[in-house]
């Protein structure tokens, strides 16, 4: 058998570029004469913008620190051992850059086993151990604390989670086994499964304490000092920590069943991580920790060597790194300042856009529309949303008053826009209407102002073609709901200049949006792919496949909602309009469904009614449908849909709509909510062999979003 040190040495050789975390041991006397104490501090030597992680060498350093305190504990020279992090950071888990490099199952197994072997030594010391969660704690950072006897948490802690399932892993260093045994299966399922699959929802310090993960909570300012006073009282017997007894009966089984229901509703069986985690939680009911740790090791190794984790890490890197450095964006120094914003239109989309600019830029925002009633309604919407933020305690009264004072509405564009630096239109999706609006705006706007369009499918070049200065027009396409979806497609027209484009990217950054540079091509990225995807579903329905079969066919993709529910959200009329736009550009690939046309003409909001609480085909829609007699199976439908999407993405990359396949995935993840565990779409198409079948080649090289060859 290899020792832990040998295991970690072998793993460290596979990962030469690890950012190494040190585990510093210092000693001091506890307050109130409680005795000599050893405190381990995890620190990678960098500031809080580079959080502390655990790679193999970092685990080896912690192992060496435990060697030291274990000896001291057994000799009786310390009364307790604590572990904490550098300022603002406790530790954020395994170093995923190292995980990506692993090519063999046994190397992956060594990472799981190495983490367990080090962490569980903290629970085996001859003295009590204490974890002080002073700052952000995720994954392995949470788990190292779970192995301690007691835990405290800072009220100021901003983020605490076990995000592994979100990425395609399981909490594999004790999380799946210890957490349910500490706080009960139901609460553990919420942290490990529900929060993770809910866009990696984070807990704050107070919630960590309420859940029973931490035994005590203290203010951030003197957190460590207060924790050490508490530690002294615990060691002297003045404070006895009592934890509620865990229900190991039916409640445990119900919690696991709830977890399976959540996993089914989120990933539809399409990603294995949540189910592997639930299997371990289910088995942890008997309290046999070592058996649980062994199961975690196996699950971790299996998942590390599977495609979903690699896709999850790829997606994570897209959102965390690529999104911050948009491919093809001009130099930041060319961007002009924006101190006033104009919004043409005061409907729902325009009002949402106005609210976002107001909240993020905190500059004057002025709306215009064709009559006073609409203008008042738009300003009223912004005011009511500010009141909601005030009611939830997200802003104070002063800020609410200031924001309300910054938003106004006028009918006269000259009055509203004469000193605006950035003017965006969000009016009806019709070329002639938008050209007319831009002509009116250009006549009154200052020469330096950027003119932006929130078009979802129309040509930015054509929109600007009749202006004296088309170089300042840029596409600025938001996704609905504006406050929720991070994506912003920034479209460069044929004449758009670098300064206008740089200003648009600068504004996007301040809006905290994920900006992707897109060529001025029909429907840009997300709407083009979704329209091709939905169009193929619509085609098979029109040809004769039952609606339910067509919908079920794409469930294995684990999308946030089914195609026809998405159509309802978008609005059938908008879906029809985009399909007509694309049909004019690419009639051989984009069809206009006569059935969809009939649904729109009948004024239906969608295909479904929800009388029973779940979607059922509306009988009135069913009566409108005219279908052929070609009935496909779910597998045949899925193949057709995926082939169509792979073909379209291949053509878009050939046309240079975006720089690389990575940008397609970034757009689908942030603009359409496509799952992290797929890595967007191209890694899935590669993994399923669709890319090569349709285009003769993969979208991504082997080792990118997949196990290295």
């Amino acid at each position: 058998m290899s020792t832990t040190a040998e295991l970690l040495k072998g793993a460290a050789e596979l990962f030469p570029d690890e950012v190494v975390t040190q585990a510093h041991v210092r000693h001091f006397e506890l307050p109130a004469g409680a005795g000599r104490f050893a405190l381990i501090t995890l620190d990678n030597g960098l500031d809080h913008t580079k959080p502390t992680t655990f790679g193999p060498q970092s685990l080896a350093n912690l192992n060496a620190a435990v060697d030291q305190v274990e000896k001291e504990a057994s000799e009786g020279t310390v009364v307790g051992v604590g572990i904490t992090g550098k300022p603002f950071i406790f530790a954020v888990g395994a170093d995923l850059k190292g995980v990506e490099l692993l090519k063999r199952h046994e190397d992956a197994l060594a990472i799981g086993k190495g983490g367990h072997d080090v962490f569980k030594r903290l629970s085996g010391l001859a003295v009590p151990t204490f974890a002080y969660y002073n700052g952000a704690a995720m994954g392995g950072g949470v788990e190292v604390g779970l192995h301690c006897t007691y835990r405290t948490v800072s009220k100021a802690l901003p983020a605490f989670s076990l995000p592994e399932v979100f990425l395609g892993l399981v909490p594999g260093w004790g999380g799946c086994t210890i957490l349910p045994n500490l706080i009960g299966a139901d609460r553990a399922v919420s942290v490990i499964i529900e929060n993770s699959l809910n866009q990696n929802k984070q807990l704050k310090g107070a919630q960590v304490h309420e859940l029973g993960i931490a035994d005590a909570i203290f203010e951030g300012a003197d957190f460590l000092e207060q924790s050490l006073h508490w530690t002294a009282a615990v060691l002297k017997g003045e404070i006895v920590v009592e934890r509620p007894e865990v229900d190991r009966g039916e409640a445990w089984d119900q919690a696991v069943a709830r977890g399976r229901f959540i996993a089914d509703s989120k990933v539809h069986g399409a990603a294995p991580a949540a189910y592997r985690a639930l299997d371990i939680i289910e088995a942890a009911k008997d309290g046999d920790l070592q058996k649980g740790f062994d199961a975690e090791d196996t699950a971790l190794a299996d998942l590390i060597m599977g495609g979903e984790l690699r896709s999850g890490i790829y997606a994570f890197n897209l959102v965390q790194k690529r999104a911050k450095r948009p491919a093809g964006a001009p130099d930041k120094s060319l961007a002009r300042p924006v101190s006033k914003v104009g919004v043409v239109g005061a409907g729902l989309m325009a009002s949402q856009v106005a609210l976002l600019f107001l909240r993020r830029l905190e500059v004057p925002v002025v709306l215009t529309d064709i009559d006073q009633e609409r203008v008042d309604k738009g300003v009223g919407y912004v005011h009511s949303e500010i009141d909601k933020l005030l009611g939830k305690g997200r802003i104070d009264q002063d800020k609410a008053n200031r924001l309300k004072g910054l938003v106004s509405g006028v009918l006269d564009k000259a009055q509203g826009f004469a000193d605006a630096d950035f003017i965006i239109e969000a009016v009806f999706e019709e070329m002639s209407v938008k050209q007319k609006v831009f002509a009116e705006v250009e006549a009154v706007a200052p020469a330096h102002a950027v003119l932006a369009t929130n078009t979802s499918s129309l040509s930015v070049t054509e929109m600007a073609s009749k202006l004296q200065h088309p170089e300042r027009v840029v596409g600025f396409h938001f996704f609905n709901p504006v406050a929720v979806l991070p994506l912003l497609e920034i479209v460069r027209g044929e004449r758009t200049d670098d300064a206008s484009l740089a200003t648009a990217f600068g504004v996007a950054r301040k809006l905290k949006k994920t900006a992707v540079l897109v060529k001025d091509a029909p429907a840009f990225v997300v709407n083009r792919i979704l329209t091709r995807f939905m169009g193929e579903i619509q085609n098979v329905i029109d040809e004769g496949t039952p609606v339910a079969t067509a919908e079920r066919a794409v469930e294995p993709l684990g999308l946030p909602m089914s195609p026809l529910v998405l159509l309802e959200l978008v609005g059938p009329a908008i879906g029809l309009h985009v399909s007509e736009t694309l049909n004019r550009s690419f009639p051989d690939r984009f069809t206009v469904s006569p059935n969809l046309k009939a649904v729109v003409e009948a004024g239906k909001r969608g295909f479904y009614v929800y009388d029973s609480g779940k979607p059922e085909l509306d009988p009135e829609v069913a009566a409108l449908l005219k279908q052929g007699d070609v009935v496909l199976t779910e597998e045949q439908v899925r193949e057709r849909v995926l082939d169509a999407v792979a073909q379209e993405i291949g053509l878009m990359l050939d046309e240079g709509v975006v720089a690389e396949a990575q940008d397609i995935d970034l757009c689908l993840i942030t603009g359409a909510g496509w799952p992290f565990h797929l890595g967007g779409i191209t890694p899935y198409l590669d993994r399923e062999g669709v890319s090569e079948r349709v285009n003769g080649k993969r979208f991504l090289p082997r080792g990118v979003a997949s196990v290295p060859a």
Side-chain angles (χ1 to χ4, degrees):
M1 277 293 287
S2 301
T3 65
T4 302
E6 286 167 346
L7 268 180
L8 293 171
K9 187 169 181 290
E13 285 165 5
L14 297 171
F15 185 20
D17 300 325
E18 177 185 350
V19 177
V20 177
T21 297
Q22 303 298 332
H24 305 289
V25 181
R26 59 191 172 112
H27 298 87
F28 45 80
E29 293 296 324
L30 283 170
R36 189 165 178 265
F37 191 75
L39 181 67
I40 300 169
T41 303
L42 302 169
D43 190 347
N44 60 5
L46 302 165
D47 69 13
H48 68 278
T49 62
K50 297 278 189 299
T52 305
T53 52
F54 292 119
Q57 186 56 54
S58 306
L59 286 172
N61 290 344
L62 178 57
N63 199 42
V66 178
D67 281 343
Q68 181 186 336
V69 296
E70 182 178 60
K71 184 168 178 288
E72 293 166 353
S74 61
E75 289 170 353
T77 58
V78 296
V79 294
V81 174
I83 185 165
T84 192
K86 66 182 184 182
F88 310 111
I89 304 287
F90 183 78
V92 298
D95 190 324
L96 293 175
K97 292 195 294 296
V99 172
E100 282 181 282
L101 300 172
L102 298 174
K103 297 181 182 181
R104 300 185 315 161
H105 194 273
E106 53 265 44
D107 295 332
L109 201 59
I111 288 287
K113 201 167 166 3
H116 271 131
D117 287 352
V118 177
F119 288 3
K120 73 184 181 192
R121 294 181 68 195
L122 290 165
S123 59
L125 297 184
V127 295
T129 48
F130 297 79
Y132 307 129
Y133 291 124
N134 63 305
M138 294 171 205
V142 168
E143 290 170 301
V144 70
L146 293 178
H147 285 268
C148 294
T149 325
Y150 304 101
R151 285 156 294 281
T152 67
V153 68
S154 165
K155 268 187 191 168
L157 182 144
F160 182 104
S161 64
L162 289 170
E164 286 85 352
V165 166
F166 177 65
L167 293 169
L169 277 175
V170 298
W173 285 341
C176 288
T177 304
I178 301 173
L179 194 63
N181 279 293
L182 176 69
I183 62 172
D186 197 59
R187 288 176 164 191
V189 163
S190 294
V191 176
I192 294 169
I193 307 295
E194 188 170 21
N195 290 357
S196 205
L197 291 178
N198 191 9
Q199 292 301 312
N200 192 18
K201 185 180 169 194
Q202 300 294 319
L203 298 168
K204 300 267 193 282
Q207 294 166 298
V208 174
H209 183 236
E210 281 160 26
L211 284 166
I213 299 171
D215 302 303
I217 182 166
F218 301 109
E219 292 293 343
D222 57 353
F223 169 70
L224 190 56
E225 190 185 335
Q226 292 294 328
S227 292
L228 292 171
H229 276 282
W230 181 85
T231 298
V234 169
L235 290 172
K236 289 173 75 178
E238 294 164 12
I239 290 176
V240 177
V241 172
E242 290 182 358
R243 300 185 182 126
E245 198 177 328
V246 169
D247 186 334
R248 297 180 187 282
E250 201 179 317
W252 194 292
D253 303 332
Q254 285 172 346
V256 172
R258 182 173 77 88
R260 292 194 194 285
F261 176 78
I262 292 165
D264 287 344
S265 64
K266 291 285 186 182
V267 301
H268 309 285
Y275 302 97
R276 291 296 291 266
L278 286 162
D279 288 345
I280 300 167
I281 294 169
E282 185 171 32
K285 183 177 175 179
D286 63 7
D288 183 339
L289 297 187
Q290 188 53 53
K291 190 178 80 180
F293 297 163
D294 292 343
E296 288 174 355
D297 287 344
T298 306
L300 210 54
D302 291 349
L303 292 165
I304 285 173
M305 299 316 292
E308 283 82 0
L309 168 69
R310 307 300 172 130
S311 296
I313 296 174
Y314 163 82
F316 186 77
N317 288 336
L318 289 181
V319 171
Q320 294 297 319
K321 294 175 186 168
R322 192 177 182 91
K324 292 178 175 61
R325 291 189 292 277
D331 193 301
K332 289 178 189 175
S333 64
L334 297 172
R336 294 188 287 259
V338 172
S339 55
K340 184 177 179 183
V341 173
V343 181
V344 185
L348 183 59
M349 192 69 180
S351 303
Q352 288 183 68
V353 168
L355 176 70
L356 182 70
F357 274 96
L358 184 67
R359 286 193 64 198
R360 296 281 187 244
L361 271 59
E362 295 191 22
V363 300
V365 175
V366 58
L367 295 100
T368 71
D369 212 317
I370 53 175
D371 59 50
Q372 193 63 44
E373 188 184 337
R374 288 177 204 218
V375 170
D376 292 345
K377 191 176 176 188
V379 174
Y381 168 86
V382 176
H383 281 200
S384 69
E385 290 299 308
I386 292 167
D387 286 336
K388 283 182 196 168
L389 292 169
L390 178 64
K392 289 175 184 167
R394 302 265 294 280
I395 56 173
D396 61 21
Q397 188 66 58
D398 282 352
K399 179 107 181 239
N401 294 344
R402 193 166 75 251
L403 290 176
K404 284 183 179 180
L406 285 170
V407 65
S408 60
V410 294
L411 284 174
D412 181 2
K413 291 185 182 69
Q415 180 192 344
F417 298 157
D419 56 349
D421 307 301
F422 192 95
I423 302 163
I424 182 166
E425 70 73 26
V427 299
F428 186 65
E429 192 75 347
E430 188 66 60
M431 183 59 77
S432 58
V433 175
K434 291 189 185 279
Q435 284 179 331
K436 179 171 177 285
V437 160
F438 270 153
E440 291 168 0
V441 169
E442 187 180 50
V444 298
H448 70 273
V450 172
L451 309 185
T453 168
N454 183 44
T455 182
S456 59
S457 61
L458 301 176
S459 166
V460 174
T461 303
E462 189 183 338
M463 213 178 288
S465 61
K466 297 181 178 174
L467 298 180
Q468 288 176 317
H469 294 285
E471 69 277 2
R472 57 176 172 161
V473 177
V474 62
F476 211 68
H477 179 216
F478 289 97
F479 289 78
N480 202 2
V482 172
V484 177
L485 291 174
L487 180 64
L488 190 53
E489 291 179 337
I490 295 187
V491 187
R492 180 171 210 152
E494 281 172 23
R495 311 263 307 263
T496 306
D497 65 20
D498 280 354
S500 301
L501 199 62
T503 304
F505 273 99
V507 168
R509 229 176 353 264
K510 287 186 177 160
L511 294 175
K512 297 185 180 170
K513 291 293 180 190
T514 297
V516 175
L517 180 62
V518 180
K519 186 179 166 187
D520 188 19
F524 317 125
V525 177
V526 173
N527 283 343
R528 179 160 162 187
I529 292 169
L530 286 186
T531 304
R532 186 76 199 273
F533 173 80
M534 305 274 282
E536 212 51 53
I537 295 272
Q538 198 71 58
N539 287 344
V540 299
I541 292 171
D542 292 355
E543 289 164 20
T545 298
V547 170
T549 305
E551 288 266 80
R552 269 199 314 274
V554 292
E555 272 187 4
L557 284 168
L559 299 176
M561 60 190 76
S562 76
L564 294 182
V565 173
L566 175 64
L567 181 68
E568 203 166 295
L569 184 74
V570 170
I574 293 173
L576 178 66
H577 180 77
V578 177
S579 70
E580 288 170 340
T581 303
L582 282 159
N583 173 256
R584 285 194 291 275
S585 301
F586 310 115
D588 56 326
R589 301 194 311 279
F590 288 86
T591 52
V592 178
S593 163
N595 280 322
L596 180 57
K597 216 169 188 173
V599 167
V600 172
E601 283 166 2
K604 299 303 271 179
R605 295 289 304 275
F607 276 62
Y608 293 127
V609 286
Y610 295 85
D611 299 340
S612 65
K614 58 180 196 289
E616 289 174 9
L617 189 61
D618 183 340
E620 291 178 18
V621 170
L624 291 170
L625 296 182
K626 291 188 169 62
Q627 290 182 281
D629 53 10
V630 178
V631 179
L632 301 183
T633 64
E634 287 176 30
E635 289 73 20
Q636 289 170 320
V637 172
R638 187 160 56 251
E639 188 171 305
R640 254 185 68 173
V641 170
L642 292 176
D643 283 5
V645 170
Q647 182 195 31
E648 203 58 41
I649 293 171
L651 291 165
M652 288 164 73
L653 292 171
D654 290 347
E655 289 167 31
V657 175
V658 288
E660 292 181 288
Q662 282 89 331
D663 294 310
I664 299 270
D665 293 318
L666 184 56
C667 285
L668 285 173
I669 291 164
T670 56
W674 280 42
F676 253 64
H677 65 260
L678 295 186
I681 183 64
T682 68
Y684 179 81
L685 295 171
D686 284 351
R687 198 162 64 236
E688 297 293 312
V690 181
S691 317
E692 292 186 60
R693 184 171 73 230
V694 174
N695 300 322
K697 60 182 181 183
R698 296 167 61 90
F699 287 115
L700 301 166
R702 286 199 185 278
V704 177
S706 59
V707 177

